[in-house]
Amino acid sequence: DTSGVVILARSQQSLKHLHYQFRERRTKKVYECLVACSMSVESGWIDMPLGRDFENPPWMRVITDDYSKSLNTALLNGGVAGKPSWHKMLRKKAKKCLTGYEVIGKETFGDPCKLEVTRLKLSPITGRSHQLRVHCAALGHPIVGDDIYGYDGRAACY
């Protein structure tokens, strides 16, 4: 489960200022999560472009050159299932995505089976749909409890 904050403007001037802050990326967003397994690198940047997953629409995935070639072939040969509106979304170019991460701690989770997990602080620079979930899963450390991109999830990448 996730939680968040809703920001409401009480005046037109406040709304314009909020728009400006988000547009210029002056807002700082920080998330904390548990990911599966022990991460060996203590901090860094995840710089992987995201786009729609043609094998699991409407979910997202990291877009590689090989994946783009497979997608183009599938689109040309009519091998993409789903609604026609998804085909239009799939043709869109992958979007740049950048997430900073820092290991806060390592612990175990669950009872009676103890799963080794890493507690992370995630700082998205861009704000794409499912960005944090896809980035963590692409590293091989899906967010614990993620029913879409986690282990046995509907759009798991492994």
Side-chain angles (χ1 to χ4, degrees):
D1 290 336
T2 59
S3 60
V5 175
V6 176
I7 301 172
L8 302 173
R10 295 182 64 176
S11 69
Q12 195 64 29
Q13 182 180 359
S14 296
L15 180 63
K16 285 180 183 180
H17 188 62
L18 283 171
H19 283 184
Y20 168 78
Q21 289 180 49
F22 278 94
R23 185 176 53 251
E24 298 299 318
R25 300 197 193 284
R26 295 187 179 220
T27 55
K28 303 267 188 261
K29 296 170 260 177
V30 179
Y31 299 83
E32 188 174 310
C33 68
L34 290 177
V35 296
C37 305
S38 178
M39 290 189 66
S40 57
V41 180
E42 294 293 314
S43 65
W45 294 95
I46 307 166
D47 188 0
M48 298 178 183
L50 297 186
R52 295 285 171 186
D53 185 346
F54 80 89
E55 295 168 328
N56 297 293
W59 310 122
M60 306 297 284
R61 67 166 288 136
V62 170
I63 304 299
T64 62
D65 289 339
D66 287 342
Y67 179 81
S68 292
K69 289 175 189 172
S70 297
L71 170 60
N72 288 334
T73 300
L75 286 169
L76 288 172
N77 297 329
V80 177
K83 302 174 185 175
S85 60
W86 289 348
H87 296 205
K88 185 176 179 181
M89 287 189 299
L90 291 171
R91 285 186 173 89
K92 290 183 180 178
K93 188 175 177 181
K95 293 184 178 180
K96 181 173 175 53
C97 275
L98 185 62
T99 303
Y101 73 91
E102 179 183 334
V103 172
I104 298 172
K106 297 180 182 185
E107 51 199 86
T108 57
F109 177 80
D111 188 40
C113 299
K114 298 289 185 190
L115 172 66
E116 190 173 306
V117 296
T118 302
R119 186 173 296 275
L120 291 181
K121 178 173 82 171
L122 299 172
S123 303
I125 303 304
T126 51
R128 309 286 182 225
S129 296
H130 301 195
Q131 175 177 329
L132 303 179
R133 299 163 72 182
V134 175
H135 272 175
C136 288
L139 291 180
H141 298 280
I143 294 175
V144 173
D146 188 339
D147 64 340
I148 296 173
Y149 303 101
Y151 291 126
D152 296 326
R154 292 174 279 180
C157 58
Y158 29 81

